[in-house]
Amino acid sequence: MSHLAHASCEALDRGGALASQLDAFTPRPAQLRLAAAIAEAFDQRDVLLAEAGTGTGKTYAYLVPALLSGLKTIISTGTRALQDQLYHRDLPRVRAALGIGHSSALLKGRANYLCKYRLQQARGEPRFSSQEQVAQFQRIASWAGRTRFGDVAELEALADDSPLLPMVTSTIDNCLGSECPFWDECFVVQARQRAQAADVVVVNHHLLLADLALKQEGFGEILPGAQAFVIDEAHQLPELAANFFGEGFGMRPWQELARDCLAECRSVAGAQAALQPAVAGLDLSLRELRAAMEDLPARGTQWRALAKPQVREGFDALVMALTQLHDALEQVREASPGLDACHARAREGVARLARWLGEDAPLPDFEADAPVVEAAGDNDVLWYELTPRGFRCQRTPMDVSGPLRQHRERSLAAWVFTSATLTVDGDFSHLAARLGLDDPVSLIQPSPFDWQRQALCYLPPALPDPAARGYGTALIAALRPVLEASQGRAFLLFASHRALREAAEALRDGPWPLFVQGEAPRASLLQRFRESGNGVLLGSASFREGVDVVGDALSVVVIDKLPFAAPDDPVFEARLEAIRREGGNPFRDEQLPQAVIALKQGVGRLIRSETDRGVLVLCDPRLLSKSYGRVFLDSLPPFRRTRALADVQAFFAPQLRPGAADSAADAPPFSLS
């Protein structure tokens, strides 16, 4: 065992720094083994793939070696919420317990920081749709005068999807860079400077990938200086990486470009007259194209969209409109940095549009130094997605293992990939291949919870096939007695929004408070669910992760169907076809492993501490009727399993609670034969 591994285990063991300094810290053998493996990876500049079940304490298991190593370490988390928790809560606790004064920094993407130039441009804009928006903007302006870091997360009353945010934050496209009059006061620049100087930097996967994909937003790279990377929630990385190693465009960013052109005209005499016709033409072409796409499926491939003549004509008209705006901006670009930036955005927009349309796109007659327009490669999928009032077009690589491998090898750093859900039936090969890991050191530390006593897995009998008519009605009928036994306190996960809506209508008359995804912001729903004590929360795929409700408020997790990926995902379909062409089995090699990992994420919501108790209800009868059902069940923690409703009722019966848990623990699981 290396010196770092020994020191890390000593700090986490009985009588160590964390046990003596932190209240309620309990040494865990699984955590010690994980910390030792991570420390060895740091020492050897190796790659480690580590699955750590819920309750292992993986956050402390990587923070302790990271701090004791003295290496410049980048820690990447799955979401901004986890990033904030890690930086503001976990990291200070461990650093204080170890008595180490290493500097740390929190770094988010630029869309999370106030842009003083954009705020100034938005003042007096006739773009506010209500008095409430005007009042919110005034609150932002007031906060802008006193904030130290400019992180919009400080504005708790501002929703994540507020239309005001794009008005007061920058993008890589509209940032003026060093030409900005507020460059010396820029919150993004300051955040990056802190990150470059810090020993430990906490980022999220979006920012990590933006830097890896060389889309560093014009402020220089922070990642090449790192000696160690810890990728938490690593199962999310391949899907997110596909977005960053591709490129896209959409209706909303180009509408913002049009508005920004007019906003910049205010300070330049004659510019509005020069640009107004081209801006109006772009706005009209975008609206006409969206109208032409109305009858298309919500998501689909590029060729399907362009097969419709009106859509093809709409895209051609959009190329011309963007080109005309580019040419108009060419005449005024030198009048201000803002107009010059708009010119560059129009130019890049034409190039992206042409790359997506392909070789027969009506290309403008740009000068010799124009961006090269390359056709999509065999690894790329060209697709579109419609939103209620817009569209988005994307070029996405099917396989990102190559670029991920190249960036990792070039870094010469240690890389630790960890999550509670990396394996399929104890095998890492599916995710390792997608991450470009050829022969990583691997470690599985199962959840240390007493699953036999704390939990029960119930598979309701006599449910029809999920594709059969009436499945939703039968599902609710099977769930009602479970919810009565648990007195609510349940989290129901649905494979589709339609099934979620139908269940919500069927359960409206229940005696429990009902919380439905989409009827309030996610954070608000979860908070109200926790406080209710007996609520029933209905969510879809996005609620499989990041939901952490400890205690009695969440005592049942229901999963309606096995979470196979939706058939309307063009990238997923292309990946399956590529596997088929290469002689593989798309179901075995892609669909099944992806669904197993997704199911494990949902199941992980149930037991969050040593004192939690709960019932997992798996409603899909294919778990028993299909041969692949065993792969799902063997990938889950060692639940006791039952098909008898009476066992669920006994689990929750108050008078039986002390004895029921003990005696039922000895009951054999049902047979899968």
Side-chain angles (χ1 to χ4, degrees), residues 289 293 296 301-316 353 356-358 360 382 384 393:
L289 173 56
M293 299 175 82
L296 291 174
T301 56
Q302 172 240 40
W303 63 263
R304 172 178 283 185
L306 298 184
K308 189 176 176 185
Q310 304 97 298
V311 174
R312 175 76 232 202
E313 291 163 9
F315 273 109
D316 290 347
L353 187 47
W356 192 82
L357 289 172
D360 59 342
L382 300 170
Y384 72 88
C393 298

Side-chain angles (χ1 to χ4, degrees), residues 403-639:
L404 285 176
R405 182 187 295 109
Q406 290 165 14
H407 292 304
R408 192 177 59 252
E409 290 173 351
R410 196 180 302 139
S411 72
L412 303 178
W415 287 77
V416 174
F417 297 89
T418 186
S419 167
T421 54
L422 295 176
T423 64
V424 176
D425 196 7
D427 185 355
F428 284 103
S429 58
H430 174 70
L431 200 73
R434 296 196 66 194
L435 289 168
L437 304 176
D438 297 325
D439 188 25
V441 177
S442 61
L443 176 74
I444 298 177
Q445 287 302 313
S447 167
F449 297 146
D450 188 347
W451 292 92
Q452 291 289 308
R453 297 186 185 280
Q454 289 181 247
L456 180 69
C457 177
Y458 173 50
L459 283 82
L463 281 175
D465 186 274
R469 193 171 179 179
Y471 178 74
T473 303
L475 177 75
I476 296 300
L479 292 181
R480 281 190 188 277
V482 175
L483 297 176
E484 288 164 2
S486 66
Q487 298 176 347
R489 304 185 296 141
F491 183 17
L492 280 54
L493 272 169
F494 293 91
S496 71
H497 288 280
R498 179 180 173 185
L500 186 153
R501 289 192 300 270
E502 289 175 357
E505 287 308 308
L507 293 171
R508 293 280 179 202
D509 60 347
W512 319 282
L514 199 65
F515 305 99
V516 182
Q517 178 183 346
E519 294 183 359
R522 175 190 171 104
S524 171
L525 275 180
L526 287 170
Q527 185 62 28
R528 286 160 52 199
F529 172 74
R530 285 189 189 94
E531 292 169 353
S532 73
N534 68 332
V536 175
L537 175 63
L538 278 62
S540 65
S542 62
F543 273 68
R544 284 190 208 119
E545 302 190 38
V547 175
D548 190 8
V549 180
V550 180
D552 290 342
L554 178 54
S555 297
V556 174
V557 168
V558 175
I559 295 175
D560 73 331
K561 298 179 184 178
L562 294 175
F564 290 108
D568 67 340
D569 183 335
V571 180
F572 192 64
E573 283 298 297
R575 202 178 290 143
L576 299 184
E577 182 56 39
I579 292 170
R580 197 176 289 115
R581 282 198 308 270
E582 292 166 10
N585 181 316
F587 181 78
R588 180 198 64 211
D589 299 341
E590 185 70 21
Q591 291 171 287
L592 181 60
Q594 289 288 87
V596 168
I597 288 172
L599 180 68
K600 288 171 70 174
Q601 278 295 324
V603 170
R605 303 311 103 209
L606 181 63
I607 303 296
R608 307 296 297 177
S609 75
E610 290 86 349
T611 56
D612 275 2
R613 297 179 76 252
V615 171
L616 170 68
V617 185
L618 298 177
C619 301
D620 197 323
R622 291 175 294 181
L623 284 162
L624 300 180
S625 65
K626 301 291 185 182
S627 59
Y628 59 74
R630 181 175 290 276
V631 179
F632 284 97
L633 292 171
D634 288 350
S635 297
L636 298 181
F639 285 94

